[in-house]
Amino acid sequence: MVTESRGYRVFQLVNGIVLTAVVLVTLFPFVNIVARSFSGEQEIRSGQVTLWPKGFNTTTYEKVMSDALFWTNYRNTVVYTVVATVIALFLTTCYAYVLSKRQLRGRSVLVGVAVFTMFFNGGLIPNYVLVSALGLRNTLWAIVLPNAISVFNLLVMKAFFESLPTELEEAAAVDGSGTYGTLLRIVLPLSKAVLATMLLFYAVAFWNSWFAGFLYMDKQELFPVTVYLRNLIAGATSGTDVTATSEAALQIAASIQAVTIVLTMLPIMLVYPFIQRFFVSGVMLGAVKG
């Protein structure tokens, strides 16, 4: 039986203390935001709220969630996120798989074109003119297509595909499998970890995106929920909400930012645990035996 040295036990103790402190520091802002979202206006402004709600109040939640437009925009966000993520993941996977082939002619040109767009773009006005000229304004595609491929995600997935043993694809080719068959039956099953990572990256990016909807959508019923909440914050903090009483308006103005953060981050936090397990899975386990 191997006995642990005193130094190793001390290391474990210190490591546990440091990691626990990091977790607590990381969790504190989230817990504080949730507590503020359920706290009263006076307690928030006086700085009394830390980890637990004080002057429990749900006025802001009631106002936001009783608005039919909120649920319409929330549904829009779900649709935009799902469609955009599926398309982005499909295009990124195809492009990255092509770029991972070192024998591909013109590979350096394709990589250069992708990398060039990381540092240079047409700018806001040309993009707006292009989207308008294509007739994409006030449509789903105005949000989906301009951000369909993230070059950073593309390069990460390309590097992952390059790390896969070429012997796997060569063996599949000997068995008569074509390019698409190899990708679907060999490469993608071994790429669950990177696919899950890209799925999370794209989903979070599209879920949190508000500027594209703000820029290309003219109708309120087409806004994503982030634009709805942005407009709600602007209205509450400027005191232009004439439909609410003075006391309710003050409460909303005090807690609206915390409420909007909770409402936007909750779905992603619920989905993340189901994807996180792929980050630590053995991607190549059983693929190649030495």
Side-chain angles (χ1 to χ4, degrees):
M1 180 177 179
V2 179
T3 58
E4 297 180 350
S5 65
R6 181 178 179 182
Y8 183 70
R9 291 195 300 269
V10 171
F11 168 78
Q12 286 185 311
L13 177 62
V14 174
N15 194 34
I17 294 174
V18 171
L19 291 178
T20 301
V22 170
V23 170
L24 293 177
V25 171
T26 304
L27 285 178
F28 176 78
F30 293 99
V31 177
N32 178 256
I33 286 295
V34 175
R36 286 168 60 89
S37 70
F38 287 103
S39 297
E41 178 260 337
Q42 294 183 354
E43 288 76 8
I44 294 175
R45 296 190 184 279
S46 61
Q48 300 179 27
V49 183
T50 52
L51 299 177
W52 192 256
K54 294 188 177 180
F56 189 83
N57 193 301
T58 59
T59 300
T60 307
Y61 279 106
E62 293 171 3
K63 175 175 175 55
V64 172
M65 302 183 72
S66 63
D67 189 354
L69 185 60
F70 167 77
W71 295 108
T72 300
N73 293 158
Y74 217 96
R75 180 196 61 199
N76 293 342
T77 299
V78 173
V79 173
Y80 296 161
T81 300
V82 171
V83 174
T85 300
V86 170
I87 292 177
L89 195 59
F90 173 78
L91 294 178
T92 303
T93 301
C94 293
Y95 199 179
Y97 184 66
V98 169
L99 296 182
S100 67
K101 303 306 171 187
R102 301 184 185 277
Q103 70 274 17
L104 177 68
R105 293 182 179 180
R107 175 175 178 266
S108 58
V109 175
L110 294 176
V111 174
V113 169
V115 173
F116 181 84
T117 62
M118 287 186 68
F119 304 101
F120 305 98
N121 60 69
L124 179 61
I125 295 177
N127 284 337
Y128 181 83
V129 172
L130 176 61
V131 171
S132 299
L134 294 175
L136 300 180
R137 290 184 60 227
N138 292 314
T139 68
L140 163 70
W141 310 113
I143 294 178
V144 174
L145 296 182
N147 302 297
I149 294 182
S150 166
V151 179
F152 173 80
N153 293 346
L154 173 69
L155 296 179
V156 171
M157 187 169 282
K158 167 183 168 293
F160 180 87
F161 287 151
E162 288 177 341
S163 69
L164 295 176
T166 57
E167 292 80 4
L168 291 174
E169 297 185 45
E170 292 172 357
V174 170
D175 291 337
S177 177
T179 302
Y180 297 107
T182 301
L183 175 62
L184 295 175
R185 297 186 181 92
I186 305 297
V187 176
L188 293 185
L190 295 174
S191 307
K192 292 180 180 179
V194 72
L195 289 174
T197 303
M198 296 301 105
L199 175 69
L200 184 64
F201 284 175
Y202 276 123
V204 171
F206 284 116
W207 182 271
N208 291 331
S209 175
W210 69 273
F211 189 68
F214 179 76
L215 185 63
Y216 299 124
M217 302 296 184
D218 296 331
K219 303 175 182 178
Q220 287 188 338
E221 60 270 19
L222 296 176
F223 285 162
V225 72
T226 45
V227 176
Y228 170 89
L229 297 174
R230 178 261 177 197
N231 294 339
L232 191 63
I233 291 176
T237 55
S238 62
T240 57
D241 190 354
V242 296
T243 62
T245 63
S246 177
E247 182 178 351
L250 291 174
Q251 172 62 39
I252 292 171
S255 61
I256 186 62
Q257 292 185 355
V259 170
T260 55
I261 291 174
V262 172
L263 291 176
T264 52
M265 74 178 182
L266 185 60
I268 295 297
M269 293 183 65
L270 294 177
V271 172
Y272 178 78
F274 298 98
I275 301 178
Q276 187 270 344
R277 65 190 182 92
F278 290 103
F279 296 166
V280 293
S281 62
V283 184
M284 293 301 300
L285 182 62
V288 177
K289 298 295 184 181

